[in-house]
Every structure is written in structure tokens, then in C-alpha cells.
């Protein structure tokens, strides 16, 4: 091993794991229960053989005090998750997490909004209160102000009318407006106050759930800037913090792949025929010195991160793939897109995220995930009728017969009609068959009995939240 190797992300992760084993009571106890001595964690092989941790086997069985390193006063914030996969869970955060988030969002804002040079009104529409999304975003933006970004911050929450009131009152004094939001909230705002937003230079940064390229194109159209760069996606989780961010290069690749099946196969591993819905993972750049990521034998992402509540080989139940930039460039060149390859830093680290697996409905022993329906309800042909929110569930009658149902939210002033319901159903069937070989077998066997029953629901009807993160599967 030479001296340069000691500074590689993998060796930094090894040193972090050694430190956590010494300083965190809950992790030391976990190692003891698995027959592992702290002194035995000495090589990268040792790191890869440490037990996988998760919310169920590590966070929930332990108190915050036992999970934390350092002193109690090192904890700046205690906040909770949104509870989209169950009951909310509390997490501690300190300055290291804020620094990490600020570094990541600094890249995003620098590239898509030039906030170091342009006076910017930043609107945090993630919920505040006990929830980590809003509080963490607010802290990071304050940190970016200290680092020279020209930001003024407002925290209007998720109500589109309140957000619009802030824009009406304050936006004229700024060169641009940057809105941080869950995708459905951004869509609500555009539906109800699109004319107001089009009068300003608006950038929308979304997180919390994936979006399709059709959704991105729709938002650009609604902002009156069809070919603009006004939508960026960030990826993270309450447990491990913010992880990765889109760049102009990753967006260009994703956009090109949405129109080129061979490129989609080369980069993302899936292909589609003409007329198929296009399924793509999130595609982000990340910094392994902040977040070290492994992929286990089943394709699950394992995160090792520091901070006041550090984690080793922690699984959030997202599947994915890590790629060095040189490998991305090679795939692009092999697929006949050398120009796209030029935008990729060969030494940077990239992450494909194929989606969360702990929020599935089960129909005829087939796991049904939200991402199976999203391409259908976000289809461009339905953009003027649907908000993009949906709830899928498996219902069982008194004789234990199962029915897969899909509740879909209509846009304001839209009324249910058979043609829309039929179109949603057919697009959903096509997406399910395309993305799930297991569903395809069941559908071939059962026919119409296995097809989702679509219910078109009025805007803001029961089950469709406007004050929190939408739960898409029950």
C-alpha cells in the first residue's frame, strides 16, 4: 500500500468504521453479538464482512444516546423521518452533516442557478416541525450563505397558496427563485400558480421520490422554457442524509436514453420498444469521501457515513449500482455517444438508484412497487388531467380474492371520465408487464383479473396529502 492509497475513499471508510466501533456503544454491542472484536477490523476485506445494519436491526432497537458518538452537545438537531415506510423515526444531526449537505447543494446551485453571483430567493417547501427534510435544508442554505451564496431563505411549507404569496411579495427583488420541493408539491404549485412562476426566473430542485424525463419535460413546458435547465433531482434518505445530485451531464444522458433504447440498455440495463413507457433509475453524482457506498450480493446499497449518528454498511432498501466516471464514459462510447461521454468526469463517482423496496404491495405473491406505476400516471398524454399522485393497494374480499387497485388524483376542476381511467389502466398494465417478469406471468395466467382497477379521485380527496410526503403504496 502506498501513501496515496491511504487517502482513497475505501480506506477512509475503513478508518471511519474502526472509529465507530470504538466510540459508539450500540455498534460495539452489535459487533460483540456477531463475535467480532474491534481490533480485528484492519483491512478492506474486514470491512466488507462487517454485519449489514438497518432501521430494523440497528436504529429502532437502540436509543439515540447509544447510537451517537461524541458528547450530547455535539448534536445540533434531533428530527424525524416522514414515516413513509411506517412510523416516523428520530435521527440526530450535527455540523458534519450540515457541511456535507452544503457541499453537495453548493455544486447543484452553482451549476444550475449560479447562486454565488445571482441574488436568489430560496423557498424551502419541505415540512418543518419535527421533520428532517425542511429543517436540514434550511440549515444547509444558511451554511451556504456563510460560504458566499447570495441566498435569502423563506420556509412557506407545502401549501401552494402560501408559497405563491411569498413569491408575489418578495420575488421581484431577486434575479431568480429556487424552489426546493417534493415533485407533487412542485406540480401543484405549477397547476395553481403557473402564470405567477412564469413571470420569474424559477429553478425547481426536487427530492424525496424519483421523477421521469416526461415529468421534467412537462415542468419545463409549464415554466415556459421548453429547452431549459430548470429541474434538478437530488437523492438521499433521512437515515444517511443527502447523497447525490444530478448534473447537466447526467441529465443529458438520461434525456438521450429516454429516446434511445440501446443507450438506455447500455447505461441503465433496461430497454424498451416503441410505445413502451420508459423506466429509468435516478442517475446522480456523489462524493464517496462523504458517503461510502457498497452494493451487496442482492444489489442493495450499503452506506457508511460519519457524523454524530454514524452508520456502517447501512441498508435503506434501495437497490442500485455504483460507477466510476471512466466506466460511464466507456458505456457511452460503446453505445455510440462519444459526445455525451465528454461531459463525464472520468474520476468522479456516479450512482444509479433503482428504487426503494420496502414499500411494496403484494399481489398474487408479486411485489408491486411505486416505480411500476409512476411512468403511467406521469405520462405526457395525461399531464393536463392528472397531478401525478397515486395510491396502489391490494384489496382482499371476504372470500380472499385479491384485486389490485390504483387510486389516481385528478387535477383541479377535472372530473372522472371512463376514457382517462381506461388510459391509466392500459399504461399501468404496459408498465407492470415491462418492469416485472413475475407480474407478466400472473397477467398471462389470470388476464383481466390481474389488471389494476383504476379509480379517478378528485383533487385533494382523502389519502392524497398536501402537508407531507405522499405514500404511494398501501
Amino acid at each position: 500500500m502506498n501513501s496515496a492509497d491511504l487517502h482513497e475513499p475505501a480506506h477512509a471508510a475503513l478508518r471511519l468504521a474502526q472509529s465507530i466501533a470504538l466510540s459508539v456503544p450500540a455498534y460495539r454491542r452489535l459487533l460483540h453479538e456477531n463475535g467480532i472484536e474491534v481490533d480485528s477490523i484492519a483491512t478492506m476485506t474486514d470491512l466488507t464482512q462487517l454485519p449489514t445494519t438497518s432501521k430494523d436491526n440497528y436504529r429502532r432497537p437502540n436509543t439515540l444516546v447509544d447510537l451517537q458518538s461524541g458528547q450530547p452537545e455535539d448534536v445540533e438537531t434531533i428530527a424525524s423521518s416522514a414515516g413513509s415506510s411506517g412510523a416516523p423515526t428520530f435521527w440526530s444531526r450535527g455540523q458534519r452533516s450540515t457541511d456535507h449537505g452544503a457541499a453537495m447543494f453548493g455544486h447543484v446551485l452553482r451549476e444550475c442557478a449560479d447562486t454565488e453571483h445571482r441574488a436568489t430567493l430560496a423557498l424551502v417547501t419541505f415540512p418543518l416541525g419535527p421533520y428532517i427534510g425542511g429543517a436540514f435544508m434550511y440549515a444547509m442554505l444558511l451554511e451556504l450563505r456563510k460560504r458566499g451564496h447570495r441566498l435569502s431563505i423563506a420556509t412557506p411549507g407545502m401549501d401552494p397558496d402560501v408559497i405563491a404569496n411569498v413569491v408575489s411579495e418578495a420575488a421581484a427583488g431577486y434575479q431568480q427563485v429556487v424552489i426546493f420541493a417534493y415533485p407533487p408539491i412542485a406540480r401543484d404549485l405549477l397547476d395553481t400558480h403557473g402564470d405567477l412562476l412564469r413571470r420569474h426566473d424559477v429553478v425547481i430542485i426536487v427530492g424525496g421520490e424519483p421523477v421521469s424525463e416526461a415529468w421534467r419535460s412537462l415542468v419545463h413546458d409549464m415554466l415556459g422554457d421548453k429547452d431549459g435547465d430548470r429541474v434538478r433531482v437530488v437523492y438521499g434518505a433521512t437515515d444517511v442524509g443527502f447523497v447525490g445530485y444530478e448534473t447537466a451531464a447526467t441529465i443529458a444522458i438520461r434525456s438521450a436514453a429516454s429516446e434511445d433504447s440501446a443507450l438506455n440498455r447500455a447505461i441503465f440495463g433496461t430497454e424498451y420498444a416503441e410505445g413502451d413507457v420508459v423506466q429509468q433509475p435516478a442517475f446522480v453524482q456523489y462524493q464517496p469521501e462523504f458517503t461510502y457506498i457498497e452494493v451487496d450480493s442482492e444489489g442493495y446499497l450499503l452506506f457508511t457515513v460519519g457524523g454524530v449518528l454514524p452508520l456502517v454498511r447501512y441498508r435503506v432498501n434501495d437497490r442500485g449500482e455504483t460507477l466510476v466516471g471512466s466506466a460511464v464514459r466507456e458505456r457511452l462510447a460503446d453505445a455510440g455517444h462519444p459526445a455525451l461521454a465528454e461531459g463525464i468526469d472520468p474520476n468522479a463517482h456516479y450512482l444509479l438508484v433503482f428504487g426503494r423496496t420496502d414499500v411494496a404491495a403484494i399481489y398474487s405473491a408479486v411485489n408491486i412497487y411505486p416505480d411500476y406505476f409512476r411512468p403511467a400516471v406521469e405520462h405526457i398524454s395525461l399531464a393536463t388531467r392528472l397531478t401525478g399522485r397515486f395510491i396502489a393497494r391490494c384489496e382482499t374480499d371476504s372470500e380472499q380474492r385479491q384485486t389490485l387497485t390504483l387510486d389516481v388524483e385528478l387535477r383541479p376542476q377535472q372530473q372522472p371520465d371512463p376514457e382517462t381511467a381506461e388510459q391509466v389502466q392500459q399504461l399501468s398494465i404496459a408498465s407492470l408487464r415491462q418492469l416485472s417478469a413475475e407480474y407478466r406471468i400472473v397477467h398471462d395466467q389470470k388476464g383481466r383479473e390481474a389488471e389494476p382497477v383504476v379509480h379517478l379521485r378528485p383533487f385533494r380527496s382523502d389519502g392524497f396529502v398536501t402537508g407531507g410526503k405522499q405514500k404511494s403504496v398501501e
Side-chain angles (χ1 to χ4, degrees):
M1 180 188 306
N2 60 44
S3 59
D5 293 333
L6 296 174
H7 299 286
E8 289 296 316
H11 291 285
L14 173 62
R15 293 193 299 272
L16 177 60
Q18 293 167 333
S19 173
I20 294 170
L22 291 170
S23 63
V24 178
Y27 192 66
R28 193 162 56 245
R29 187 162 53 245
L30 177 70
L31 294 180
H32 178 73
E33 290 169 355
N34 284 270
I36 299 172
E37 296 293 333
V38 174
D39 292 343
S40 69
I41 307 171
T43 68
M44 289 309 302
T45 300
D46 297 331
L47 176 65
T48 61
Q49 293 178 351
L50 292 174
T52 298
T53 56
S54 68
K55 187 180 292 184
D56 288 334
N57 77 358
Y58 186 65
R59 169 59 193 92
R60 286 183 175 138
N62 293 291
T63 65
L64 285 176
V65 172
D66 277 354
L67 290 161
Q68 293 166 183
S69 61
Q71 301 300 313
E73 61 267 26
D74 294 334
V75 177
E76 291 183 344
T77 305
I78 297 174
S80 76
S81 64
S84 58
S85 61
T89 306
F90 285 89
W91 299 88
S92 306
R93 289 288 182 264
Q95 185 62 40
R96 185 185 191 278
S97 298
T98 303
D99 288 342
H100 172 197
M104 188 189 82
F105 275 96
H107 282 281
V108 177
L109 292 173
R110 196 174 292 116
E111 185 177 85
C112 72
D114 192 22
T115 51
E116 289 171 317
H117 300 100
R118 305 187 71 200
T120 303
L121 176 63
L123 303 182
V124 179
T125 72
F126 301 121
L128 289 169
Y131 300 111
I132 203 162
F136 207 35
M137 180 62 66
Y138 180 64
M140 286 186 296
L141 292 176
L142 286 176
E143 179 64 29
L144 285 171
R145 274 179 55 86
K146 298 176 185 176
R147 300 183 184 191
H149 290 256
R150 299 177 62 189
L151 301 169
S152 296
I153 310 160
T155 57
M158 292 183 162
D159 188 318
D161 293 337
V162 178
I163 299 168
N165 285 341
V166 178
V167 174
S168 296
E169 182 71 22
Y174 295 87
Q175 293 172 277
Q176 63 184 348
V177 179
V178 177
I179 301 171
F180 299 87
Y182 293 133
I185 303 303
R187 177 64 192 273
D188 281 353
L189 183 61
L190 285 161
D191 284 342
T192 53
H193 299 285
D195 288 342
L196 172 64
L197 296 189
R198 282 189 290 275
R199 293 200 294 270
H200 299 279
D201 191 353
V202 173
V203 172
I204 298 176
I205 297 176
V206 295
E209 59 185 75
V211 301
S212 63
E213 287 306 300
W215 189 93
R216 193 196 309 272
S217 296
L218 172 66
V219 169
H220 280 135
D221 285 345
M222 296 177 81
L223 288 171
D225 189 14
K226 181 177 177 62
D227 299 317
D229 181 18
R230 295 173 176 263
V231 179
R232 293 294 174 103
V233 175
V234 295
Y235 167 69
T238 300
D239 324 37
V240 298
F242 291 108
V243 174
Y245 49 91
E246 287 187 322
T247 68
T250 66
I251 293 170
I253 292 166
R254 206 168 180 261
S255 177
S258 71
E259 300 177 355
D260 183 341
S261 180
L263 177 60
N264 206 67
R265 182 181 66 249
I267 300 297
F268 304 131
T270 57
E271 56 187 326
Y272 52 88
E274 185 176 353
D276 282 351
V277 290
V278 181
Q279 181 70 9
Q280 295 176 319
F283 181 28
V284 298
Q285 185 172 334
Y286 75 102
Q287 297 169 324
E289 63 269 26
F290 288 121
T291 309
Y292 183 69
I293 306 173
E294 301 171 75
V295 181
D296 72 10
S297 60
E298 296 179 284
Y300 288 101
L301 302 175
L302 303 179
F303 299 90
T304 296
V305 296
V308 295
L309 200 162
L311 299 166
V312 178
R313 309 194 79 227
Y314 185 87
R315 172 171 148 173
V316 299
N317 287 330
D318 278 341
R319 283 194 172 98
E321 180 182 0
T322 59
L323 292 166
V324 177
S326 56
V328 177
R329 289 169 66 101
E330 185 176 333
R331 291 185 185 188
L332 289 167
D334 289 346
H337 289 270
L340 288 174
E342 290 300 315
I344 293 293
D345 180 349
N347 299 311
H349 293 257
Y350 296 88
L351 177 66
L352 307 181
V353 186
F354 293 98
R356 187 65 54 89
T357 63
D358 58 353
V359 284
I362 300 176
Y363 174 78
S364 292
V366 176
N367 289 332
I368 305 294
Y369 301 112
D371 286 349
Y372 292 178
F373 292 107
R374 192 164 279 113
V377 299
E378 291 183 356
H379 199 274
I380 192 66
S381 64
L382 296 166
T384 60
R385 288 172 278 174
L386 305 181
T387 67
R389 291 190 183 92
F390 63 93
I391 303 170
R393 61 173 66 85
C394 182
E395 298 179 343
T396 304
D397 65 16
S398 60
E399 297 181 3
Q400 299 302 301
R401 287 190 293 261
Q402 292 182 320
T403 301
L404 184 60
T405 66
L406 184 66
D407 290 358
V408 181
E409 187 184 42
L410 291 164
R411 290 182 67 184
Q413 284 78 56
Q414 291 291 315
Q415 299 298 319
D417 65 277
E419 292 79 11
T420 298
E422 173 69 16
Q423 188 176 356
V424 172
Q425 184 190 49
Q426 293 307 312
L427 286 168
S428 296
I429 293 168
S431 182
L432 285 162
R433 288 184 60 87
Q434 181 181 336
L435 299 172
S436 173
E438 295 168 316
Y439 176 84
R440 194 158 58 243
I441 292 169
V442 171
H443 187 231
D444 287 341
Q445 293 173 339
K446 293 189 173 186
R448 291 186 62 85
E449 184 183 339
E451 295 174 357
V453 176
V454 175
H455 303 292
L456 302 178
R457 303 299 189 192
F459 182 66
R460 294 192 177 179
S461 54
D462 288 348
F464 294 101
V465 304
T466 56
K469 197 170 173 181
Q470 177 69 44
K471 187 172 183 179
S472 298
V473 179
E474 292 184 354

